[in-house]
Amino acid sequence: MKFSFKVFSLVLLAGGVLMFSGCDKDPEPENIPEMITRVVLTFTPAGAAPIVAEANDPDGDGPQDIEIEPIVLNANTDYTLTIQLYNGLYEPTDPEYNITEEVEEEGDEHQFFFGWSAGLFTSPTGTGNIGAAGTVNYADEDAGGLPIGLTTTWTTGTATSDKSFRVILKHQPDIKSVTSTSADGESDLDVTFPISIN
Amino acid sequence: MRVLLLIGFLWFSSLLQAQDTCTYSIQGIVTDESGSPLAGASVLIANTRQGEATDLAGRFNLTQLCKGSYTLTVQYLSYKTAEQKVVLEASTTITITLQPEEIVLQEVLVAGHTEVVSRTSNSISLHARELNELKGKSLGETLQNINGVNSIQSGPAIFKPVIHGVHSQRILILNNGIRQEGQQWGAEHAPEIDPFVANNLTVIKDAGAIKYGTDALGGVIVVTPAELPMDEKIGGELHLIGNSNGRAGTVSGLLEGGIKNLKGWGWRVQGTLRKAGDTQTPDYVLSNTGFRERNYSVSAGYHTGNKGFEVFYSHFNTTIGILRGSVSSSSEDLALAMKRDVPQYTTDFTYRISEPRQEVTHNLVKLNGHIRKDKNVFNVQYGLQINNRKEFDVRRGTLTEKAALAYNLFTHTLDAEWESTLSDTHNRCIGINGMVQDNNKIDGTQTLPFIPNFRNYSGGIFWIEKINRTKISYDFGLRYDYRYYQVAGFNFQNRLYKTQFGFGNVTATAGVNMKLSAPFTFTSNVGSAWRPPNVAELYSLGTHQSAAAIEYGLLLNEITSQVMEMKGSGIKAEHALKWVNTLKFAEKRWQGEVTGYVNYIFNYIYLKPRGITEAGRGPFAYFRYTQTDASFLGLDASIQYEIASGFSIRPGASLLRAKDEAQNDYLIFIPSNRYDVSFRYEKKPGRGHHGFFTQLRVKHIAKQTRAPRVVSPEEILQARQQGVDLFEQDARNFDFMAAPEGYWLVGFSTGLSVPVKRSKLDFRLSADNLANARYREYTNRMRYFANDAGRNISVGVNLSF
């Protein structure tokens, strides 16, 4: 009998000790590099104030929709478009906050593609290079001489409204080439802005 | 070659002899000389591993026996070992009276000290013999052979058991007496158990596992290893199985014995290795669907007649690939993937497993002891489970090497109970259970944690009364549980949130078992059960492996995307009320059972499609955990008829109708009606062999006609472009794709046992999907992308010594 009580108390003791061990530290947040929560398009005309349109999705994959501002450009004007990307999960002071540079540095595996309603621009003409073979005036290039698309140039046509302007950023590791298209790789970004021309 | 010829000859000659089916049983009661029942006496069939311990009423029931003569060996401490010959022509009931032993027995045997399956419960078991015919399959796949049990599949290697239409958190799995606690919240998370550990698998179809706590809303799966041996002789088993589909191999071995000069001690070591490459459909390879498994267990114990203890350790480790073509990163990708005839990224057969894949390890340590004193038995057991799960997704660049989801789950359980025999017919059992659980993310995934870290403290107390009379048995059980959660996780802004809350409630069951006029027995059980919402159901956020959708927990505010407090959220625990009735009959040539059930689950939690969220990467369908009331009404029936000596036919059917009662709608992933018929020829052991069987089984799985409406990803995207919110106008459930057509499967198996000196060799040959049918199973999540597995030929050799 004595022996079995020993076994009993041993089991109980082992159980008790193990059950109440453990620590209560707060979990550490993860670095989440694969997220873009803010996109800023800046259309700069020669010698005038830039026109800015933003898309914001502070909750990422959360239930809230991305909020997209309309782009309003002037007719028959030359613009330089620059794109800035941010990861709002980091503080603006954090080097991880601005993703633009990262995309530029990894230019050989990233490319922006653009698609727009017919007749918006006189240069480039057409409707863009998303699912189509249209041209885009890329004004930058990666180390291999292929376009990235962080900087592009555009010339608007005549006044129009209720049109759309779609921007896709494709991640194309090892597959970016002269012939790679918007159907290759995975989308890091796919945002459609409303656009009108006054 | 000569061996093959010999086997062939034995096979052939066995066909020529008169046959019998093995469907008989020997029931009985073991008593002392005064007629009082002896609980925990061991009843073994000589020269086999089959046997069991008597229950508190001294009763035993040995089933699945062939006609023939048997010698039963009955042992009980302080009593002389009795041997009784039984010539089995029909199922029989016997009484065995043991004479007291003057001196202490040389050999002592294990007393069955935890009675899991009550006489008044509706249960079906797979015994050692049936399990032998299913060796090489995973636990979930094995259990599908029980009428009323199905599985939610995620490709060819992941089977999650479903009992009467409910699964995951609503099923309790008792692994060697311990509540199995893994990351069971995901539909693609299969139970982390090696079926080779078990020599008996029992499914209790009733709600409410009074002794084991919350969650048993749909039923209980009981995985029981054989009792530890007590004699010095070393015995063992070796299984070698090869499958043509997936070019899979399984090796499993077991060694056991007693210890010389240490009476009462027994030990066992066991291990299994499994490896499979890509499964094949009739037309193409399912790329990245291989798996690797490495499991082992060791146990040792000491038993005398009135006390005993055991130590058990098991380790389970698996790496499972998930179909590469099922990955999609937006609704547009999903629409494309569903339209392809052959999944994207389909390549040649390989054993290599890349992303997406799961790497899961489960460790279990169990210590238990019992003391018998007069008419009381005290049991105590402690279990520690360490579950480690990592899921690897297709990610960018070097991030692929990092698990996208990684958790460690520690679970401590402590159970203590006191069983007492109040009279010949009246037993009582009172006990307590405690559980502490810690779930921690493994840092470095570089993703938002899908579920938060948490700790939960659970406690329960129960009381069971049993009345066992000759013609009728009753039992009543009552228990109370309380569970307290502390949660710390990250919201969509990657900001820490911390909260705590508790749930408490009562579980009650009542059951009756009646011997009606021969040959009928009737069992009826009403059970209530409850479970608190699981942390995953409350706090999930983000995309889940190959789910092609974003999932949001109950406590996620859809407007603000913030995490809400439990208090004031209106979230309730799930409650089930399940009534199960079984009518069994057993005659000389007829045997069968019919089970009818209704299960009404209040506040049923499920993933409901809610709409589209537009993220930076494009539009995504999103699902939110929601509560409704659901009902499950069904019937399981199987009948066996012996047409001629040795030849039997066994038709079966499993029917189920599930409904979302609150919304008058259908639920998704509910198993459709299924029918099967087997033709079996069996030969009892005879000269030169230990038995032979051959079986043909035809299954028909009907189309699920009670499925929610279909809204394809394309329709979702089109509506989105037109600015229409499809789900605002119509809140009904939906599925991305229509339920697949019904299908037929033909299976064949045959086996022969031959004696080799003092050992036994079993040969088995079987074929699944013999006709190489192209089909998709409604409850397989892979059905959106690919066909199911094609023909598989399996060859197995089993040596028992």
Side-chain angles (χ1 to χ4, degrees):
Chain A
M1 216 55 208
K2 232 178 155 185
F3 168 74
S4 32
F5 272 120
K6 266 188 201 160
V7 172
F8 256 60
S9 38
L10 195 73
V11 171
L12 274 169
L13 191 74
V17 167
L18 287 163
M19 279 175 104
F20 293 97
S21 56
C23 59
D24 281 314
K25 263 198 349 229
D26 283 347
E28 291 292 319
E30 290 289 330
N31 280 323
I32 301 166
E34 290 168 294
M35 187 87 86
I36 296 170
T37 66
R38 181 168 168 236
V39 185
V40 182
L41 305 190
T42 308
F43 288 88
T44 312
I51 294 163
V52 177
E54 283 194 21
N56 271 294
D57 190 21
D59 73 340
D61 284 346
Q64 288 177 302
D65 278 350
I66 190 166
E67 282 173 21
I68 305 171
E69 293 174 357
I71 305 168
V72 183
L73 301 179
N74 293 314
N76 306 312
T77 312
D78 293 334
Y79 289 99
T80 301
L81 167 62
T82 53
I83 300 175
Q84 299 282 314
L85 308 169
Y86 301 97
N87 183 346
L89 296 180
Y90 296 91
E91 295 298 324
T93 50
D94 196 306
E96 298 275 358
Y97 177 69
N98 191 335
I99 307 170
T100 323
E101 284 166 29
E102 197 184 310
V103 171
E104 200 171 356
E105 279 161 23
E106 295 175 10
D108 57 342
E109 27 183 88
H110 285 99
Q111 186 172 350
F112 283 92
F113 295 87
F114 301 85
W116 59 88
S117 312
L120 275 175
F121 303 106
T122 53
S123 172
T125 52
T127 58
N129 58 0
I130 296 173
T135 48
V136 169
N137 302 324
Y138 289 97
D140 55 3
E141 55 185 37
D142 62 23
L146 295 170
I148 304 174
L150 284 165
T151 310
T152 45
T153 59
W154 307 80
T155 306
T156 52
T158 51
T160 180
S161 59
D162 289 338
K163 296 290 192 290
S164 68
F165 186 77
R166 185 177 181 192
V167 182
I168 292 181
L169 171 61
K170 281 283 178 183
H171 186 228
Q172 303 176 326
D174 307 323
I175 55 172
K176 184 174 172 181
S177 70
V178 183
T179 54
S180 59
T181 69
S182 67
D184 299 314
E186 293 155 308
S187 296
D188 285 353
L189 186 77
D190 182 354
V191 184
T192 303
F193 291 80
I195 185 168
S196 53
I197 294 174
N198 290 332
Chain B
M1 195 60 210
R2 276 167 67 187
V3 176
L4 281 177
L5 277 174
L6 178 69
I7 294 165
F9 173 73
L10 288 170
W11 210 301
F12 185 69
S13 63
S14 62
L15 280 166
L16 300 175
Q17 296 177 22
Q19 308 308 324
D20 259 322
T21 52
C22 297
T23 57
Y24 301 101
S25 67
I26 305 175
Q27 291 184 0
I29 184 163
V30 177
T31 67
D32 63 15
E33 48 187 351
S34 72
S36 302
L38 293 173
S42 127
V43 182
L44 293 168
I45 300 177
N47 304 322
T48 72
R49 290 164 53 85
Q50 198 180 351
E52 63 179 43
T54 55
D55 65 12
L56 283 172
R59 278 180 284 224
F60 64 91
N61 186 6
L62 304 167
T63 57
Q64 311 280 339
L65 299 174
C66 313
K67 275 186 186 175
S69 68
Y70 294 90
T71 304
L72 297 187
T73 311
V74 184
Q75 289 173 313
Y76 192 70
L77 191 86
S78 310
Y79 287 83
K80 284 179 186 158
T81 298
E83 291 206 337
Q84 177 131 0
K85 277 214 156 173
V86 181
V87 179
L88 197 58
E89 286 294 333
S91 292
T92 181
T93 304
I94 55 173
T95 300
I96 298 168
T97 306
L98 296 186
Q99 300 299 324
E101 174 93 79
E102 283 75 27
I103 51 155
V104 177
L105 268 180
Q106 292 301 300
E107 272 185 295
V108 264
L109 273 126
V110 180
H113 42 77
T114 40
E115 185 205 23
V116 174
V117 185
S118 154
R119 183 171 302 271
T120 59
S121 60
N122 295 280
S123 65
I124 299 190
S125 296
L126 293 175
H127 298 285
R129 201 203 58 163
E130 290 146 311
L131 288 175
N132 262 333
E133 289 177 23
L134 297 166
K135 289 287 190 219
K137 297 187 192 299
S138 70
L139 181 74
E141 200 177 359
T142 305
L143 287 168
Q144 287 192 109
N145 288 281
I146 292 179
N147 219 352
V149 182
N150 308 100
S151 42
I152 298 276
Q153 250 180 286
S154 300
I158 302 176
F159 290 82
K160 199 171 176 69
V162 178
I163 302 176
H164 288 167
V166 308
H167 58 88
S168 302
Q169 307 290 336
R170 298 181 189 93
I171 288 178
L172 187 62
I173 300 179
L174 285 179
N175 182 11
N176 197 0
I178 300 277
R179 270 177 80 102
Q180 175 81 5
E181 290 287 339
Q183 300 280 358
Q184 282 301 307
W185 45 270
E188 78 287 31
H189 300 173
E192 307 89 347
I193 295 174
D194 178 9
F196 279 97
V197 167
N199 92 325
N200 182 302
L201 287 176
T202 298
V203 171
I204 303 173
K205 297 173 172 181
D206 304 321
I210 288 291
K211 282 189 179 183
Y212 299 94
T214 56
D215 298 0
L217 278 71
V220 187
I221 294 166
V222 186
V223 180
T224 319
E227 294 284 6
L228 284 174
M230 288 295 135
D231 50 3
E232 276 172 33
K233 195 177 130 261
I234 288 180
E237 286 174 10
L238 179 69
H239 301 270
L240 301 173
I241 299 148
N243 288 332
S244 66
N245 201 340
R247 302 180 204 170
T250 302
V251 182
S252 184
L254 179 154
L255 268 183
E256 61 182 17
I259 300 174
K260 206 175 179 182
N261 301 325
L262 285 172
K263 296 292 173 208
W265 286 87
W267 58 270
R268 176 182 298 136
V269 292
Q270 175 269 341
T272 304
L273 291 171
R274 297 172 74 203
K275 182 176 179 171
D278 296 333
T279 297
Q280 293 193 287
T281 70
D283 306 297
Y284 48 85
V285 171
L286 295 169
S287 283
N288 202 45
T289 57
F291 65 85
R292 288 190 294 270
E293 212 175 287
R294 202 178 65 230
N295 316 317
Y296 57 85
S297 68
V298 291
S299 51
Y302 171 77
H303 289 269
T304 67
N306 57 10
K307 59 180 181 275
F309 71 87
E310 260 177 55
V311 183
F312 176 85
Y313 169 70
S314 68
H315 174 89
F316 177 92
N317 176 286
T318 187
T319 299
I320 309 181
I322 290 176
L323 182 69
R324 176 63 179 89
S326 68
V327 178
S328 56
S329 69
S330 70
S331 289
E332 205 160 302
D333 286 3
L334 177 63
L336 288 169
M338 281 170 45
K339 268 193 281 184
R340 291 188 181 98
D341 284 336
V342 175
Q344 212 177 5
Y345 306 105
T346 294
T347 55
D348 289 342
F349 171 89
T350 174
Y351 284 104
R352 201 174 54 242
I353 301 169
S354 50
E355 296 77 30
R357 71 173 185 279
Q358 309 177 353
E359 294 180 7
V360 184
T361 306
H362 193 89
N363 292 289
L364 165 66
V365 178
K366 179 193 164 187
L367 306 170
N368 69 293
H370 74 277
I371 305 173
R372 186 184 302 275
K373 194 165 187 277
D374 304 326
K375 296 198 159 176
N376 301 295
V377 184
F378 301 91
N379 292 311
V380 61
Q381 67 174 16
Y382 164 76
L384 167 64
Q385 294 173 74
I386 302 171
N387 184 289
N388 171 281
R389 168 173 284 271
K390 286 182 180 158
E391 294 183 5
F392 295 82
D393 272 344
V394 178
R395 298 175 76 180
R396 251 175 283 148
T398 53
L399 285 173
T400 295
E401 293 152 26
K402 295 189 162 88
L405 181 154
Y407 293 100
N408 276 324
L409 178 72
F410 294 84
T411 309
H412 306 275
T413 50
L414 190 60
D415 309 305
E417 65 178 51
W418 167 36
E419 286 179 68
S420 52
T421 307
L422 302 172
S423 75
D424 289 353
T425 56
H426 188 180
N427 298 299
R428 175 175 296 159
C429 184
I430 293 168
I432 53 164
N433 316 91
M435 179 168 92
V436 180
Q437 201 165 50
D438 250 313
N439 186 55
N440 294 306
K441 77 180 175 79
I442 301 167
D443 291 341
T445 59
Q446 305 214 352
T447 56
L448 268 182
F450 192 79
I451 62 165
N453 284 11
F454 66 86
R455 171 174 289 189
N456 97 53
Y457 299 94
S458 306
I461 181 160
F462 67 86
W463 173 41
I464 302 167
E465 294 281 327
K466 289 187 188 209
I467 316 266
N468 287 319
R469 297 187 201 282
T470 327
K471 286 246 164 196
I472 190 160
S473 306
Y474 315 87
D475 68 29
F476 307 95
L478 198 64
R479 82 173 274 139
Y480 178 81
D481 285 281
Y482 188 80
R483 178 172 290 185
Y484 179 75
Y485 278 111
Q486 289 174 329
V487 176
F490 294 90
N491 67 12
F492 276 114
Q493 283 83 33
N494 206 18
R495 303 260 185 281
L496 183 73
Y497 64 85
K498 289 169 80 171
T499 183
Q500 60 271 317
F501 54 89
F503 281 95
N505 223 309
V506 171
T507 305
T509 63
V512 61
N513 174 283
M514 284 185 279
K515 287 202 170 78
L516 307 174
S517 58
F520 294 101
T521 319
F522 177 68
T523 309
S524 182
N525 186 296
V526 181
S528 84
W530 75 284
R531 69 176 186 102
N534 177 265
V535 162
E537 292 162 338
L538 294 170
Y539 298 105
S540 279
L541 52 86
T543 47
H544 200 200
Q545 206 173 46
S546 74
I550 302 183
E551 296 177 13
Y552 298 143
L554 280 160
L555 282 173
L556 212 74
N557 187 319
E558 279 168 275
I559 313 297
T560 65
S561 84
Q562 296 297 316
V563 174
M564 299 183 289
E565 280 297 321
M566 177 64 81
K567 207 176 167 185
S569 66
I571 292 162
K572 296 180 189 126
E574 263 188 18
H575 287 267
L577 193 61
K578 187 171 183 185
W579 185 25
V580 189
N581 296 292
T582 301
L583 185 69
K584 285 191 191 185
F585 60 95
E587 275 203 314
K588 253 191 148 177
R589 306 181 79 164
W590 286 93
Q591 268 197 359
E593 62 177 84
V594 180
T595 301
Y597 60 90
V598 56
N599 192 0
Y600 199 97
I601 303 182
F602 301 89
N603 315 316
Y604 179 82
I605 302 170
Y606 72 109
L607 264 181
K608 184 184 174 66
R610 282 296 274 262
I612 298 288
T613 175
E614 187 109 16
R617 278 168 297 157
F620 246 111
Y622 80 90
F623 289 70
R624 183 161 182 219
Y625 282 100
T626 307
Q627 292 196 291
T628 185
D629 291 343
S631 71
F632 301 81
L633 180 70
L635 187 83
D636 305 329
S638 73
I639 293 166
Q640 183 163 316
Y641 175 63
E642 193 182 343
I643 304 165
S645 179
F647 285 98
S648 60
I649 176 169
R650 183 174 189 154
S654 174
L655 314 175
L656 169 62
R657 203 202 70 185
K659 225 177 139 185
D660 178 341
E661 294 285 347
Q663 300 181 91
N664 193 22
D665 196 1
Y666 292 121
L667 297 165
I668 195 171
F669 283 118
I670 299 297
S672 58
N673 293 339
R674 40 208 69 201
Y675 312 88
D676 77 287
V677 58
S678 336
F679 303 91
R680 191 173 169 104
Y681 168 77
E682 199 156 339
K683 179 170 161 39
K684 69 181 174 190
R687 214 175 326 132
H689 70 94
H690 274 171
F692 166 82
F693 78 93
T694 184
Q695 175 174 297
L696 186 74
R697 188 176 185 193
V698 181
K699 279 197 277 191
H700 173 61
I701 286 82
K703 180 178 174 168
Q704 181 54 281
T705 52
R706 297 185 187 90
R709 70 188 164 126
V710 176
V711 182
S712 71
E714 271 187 318
E715 285 174 88
I716 293 171
L717 291 170
Q718 274 168 15
R720 184 74 187 176
Q721 272 173 7
Q722 290 153 13
V724 181
D725 186 343
L726 280 178
F727 310 106
E728 203 164 46
Q729 304 152 4
D730 190 343
R732 282 182 302 154
N733 298 331
F734 78 88
D735 192 354
F736 288 129
M737 195 183 247
E741 294 302 316
Y743 58 92
W744 295 83
L745 290 179
V746 182
F748 169 79
S749 58
T750 184
L752 173 70
S753 298
V754 290
V756 179
K757 291 187 179 160
R758 297 180 64 188
S759 313
K760 192 178 82 160
L761 261 178
D762 291 304
F763 298 92
R764 190 165 51 84
L765 175 72
S766 63
D768 303 317
N769 191 6
L770 194 60
N772 214 12
R774 293 176 182 86
Y775 71 98
R776 294 187 184 200
E777 164 56 42
Y778 179 63
T779 57
N780 188 342
R781 290 150 50 98
M782 195 184 69
R783 74 177 152 97
Y784 298 116
F785 314 104
N787 285 341
D788 235 298
R791 183 189 297 125
N792 175 43
I793 310 287
S794 174
V795 181
V797 183
N798 168 22
L799 173 71
S800 318
F801 55 92

